[in-house]
Amino acid sequence: MRTDHRLAQQPVVDIADLAGELITLWAPPGSSYYSDLLLGACRRAGFEPDYVVSRVQGAATVVAPLTTGSAAFVTHPAGRMLDGRVVVLDLLPSLLVPAQALWQRHTHSAIRDLLVARG
């Protein structure tokens, strides 16, 4: 979020503290699993999120607070960014995004075999 945001001075932010805040998404709900995951996390925290879909596609997600004035969920480490104009805060509870990978049957991958073995 922008460093002048009311929550910006906190070391961590509970997702429930984002109730009433505008949140940036990069795709409309229903067209992106990630957007749906973020909105679902807000709903589980007890609020229906207000959101805007960013028109600045391809930019780093950490730029969203500057281009939309909203909060954004990002994967950057906590700290100040963009010459101190944006601050990334740790979120509670942590949001974990599932990872998926596909391989063609005829290919070989040591990493895939390791992941499947650890299943």
Side-chain angles (χ1 to χ4, degrees):
M1 53 193 55
R2 290 175 24 165
T3 53
D4 61 355
H5 189 278
R6 67 178 180 85
L7 298 171
Q9 302 309 314
Q10 297 185 28
V12 296
V13 172
D14 189 287
I15 193 168
D17 294 338
L18 296 175
E21 297 292 334
L22 187 63
I23 296 170
T24 294
L25 301 176
W26 281 264
S31 66
S32 163
Y33 173 80
Y34 188 59
S35 292
D36 294 343
L37 178 122
L38 297 176
L39 295 178
C42 294
R43 291 174 181 134
R44 283 188 303 280
F47 68 97
E48 184 62 33
D50 295 322
Y51 66 88
V52 61
V53 176
S54 176
R55 292 190 225 178
V56 184
Q57 297 295 311
T61 55
V62 75
V63 175
L66 297 179
T67 60
T68 64
S70 67
F73 295 98
V74 301
T75 57
H76 293 276
R80 292 187 179 271
M81 309 277 306
L82 302 173
D83 294 324
R85 295 178 293 161
V86 170
V87 63
V88 176
L89 304 170
D90 285 326
L91 184 69
L92 293 176
S94 295
L95 295 181
L96 302 177
V97 179
Q100 295 178 335
L102 301 172
W103 282 274
Q104 294 179 344
R105 290 179 191 246
H106 68 278
T107 63
H108 298 282
S109 167
I111 294 172
R112 176 196 60 206
D113 294 344
L114 179 62
L115 291 172
V116 170
R118 291 189 177 187

